[in-house]
Amino acid sequence: FSDNGGFTGNYKKQQVTDNSPLRSGKGSLYEGGIRDPLLVSWPGVTRGSVCREPVVSTDLFSTLLTMAGLPQPQDPCGDGQDITPLLKNPAGHLQRDALCFHYPHYYDTTTPVSAIRAGDWKLLEYYEDPHVELYNLRDDLSETTDLAAAMTGKAQELRARLRAWLKSVDAQMPAPNPYVK
């Protein structure tokens, strides 16, 4: 499991990673930066199958507790879910309606941005030049067709959900550096 997609820059003047057909890579909230394979081997449970349900690294804590036969904490300390049901039935689904991401700083591949993925829909909200982008990942895995202007209702709905999540986790928002003029 990885925490990000492949590095899309050059090393010694050689491109080291190609995340095609996914857009962008490490440090980005496009699929090339956040979509990674997770491989799990659990003798007697996993059977060489493929599961398409999105999961995140915070799911691993609850999952490892279950796999070890340990109780879940009374007051969960994270927003992850136990994915052992998916390991037992790869066609299953989690009781989660969205995944949210927050990247409030700069990197070679991005400016400060947050994103929400709900089903096939994904919205990115950029903060430096305030704009949103909306993609249907089922139809456009490469995130080449921004639907925000054509589907303003869907964009507004997802933007509101993303902002509610940011508020609920007290996310640190980007702010201008007072020392740079």
Side-chain angles (χ1 to χ4, degrees), residues 69-181:
L70 298 171
Q72 299 290 328
Q74 292 291 344
D75 185 18
C77 58
D79 55 355
Q81 291 189 22
D82 175 9
I83 65 168
T84 58
L86 299 177
L87 301 176
K88 295 174 181 178
N89 175 15
H93 298 282
L94 296 175
Q95 296 299 312
R96 170 169 40 218
D97 63 344
L99 290 173
C100 296
F101 306 87
H102 184 54
Y103 201 87
H105 48 275
Y106 293 86
Y107 188 72
D108 290 346
T109 55
T110 194
T111 60
V113 60
S114 297
I116 182 170
R117 177 175 175 183
D120 294 327
W121 293 100
K122 181 170 169 194
L123 178 120
L124 294 94
E125 181 173 11
Y126 285 89
Y127 300 107
E128 184 177 76
D129 62 341
H131 77 279
V132 297
E133 297 175 11
L134 177 68
Y135 300 98
N136 182 312
L137 297 178
R138 181 191 64 226
D139 299 336
D140 182 19
L141 185 61
S142 300
E143 297 169 294
T144 58
T145 305
D146 178 3
L147 301 170
M151 302 189 72
T152 56
K154 177 57 86 173
Q156 289 171 348
E157 169 204 335
L158 290 175
R159 187 180 214 177
R161 289 179 65 187
L162 176 60
R163 288 183 173 181
W165 175 81
L166 290 164
K167 184 176 181 180
S168 76
V169 299
D170 196 24
Q172 181 179 0
M173 300 306 290
N177 183 338
Y179 303 105
V180 175
K181 296 196 190 262

Side-chain angles (χ1 to χ4, degrees), residues 1-11 14-37 103 107-110:
F1 187 64
S2 173
D3 69 339
N4 54 252
F7 176 65
T8 56
N10 292 321
Y11 177 74
Q14 297 272 7
Q15 182 177 350
V16 294
T17 304
D18 181 356
N19 295 320
S20 298
L22 305 178
R23 181 176 177 176
S24 198
K26 179 180 177 73
S28 165
L29 292 186
Y30 291 114
E31 291 298 288
I34 60 174
R35 183 182 287 240
D36 297 302
Y103 201 87
Y107 188 72
D108 290 346
T109 55
T110 194

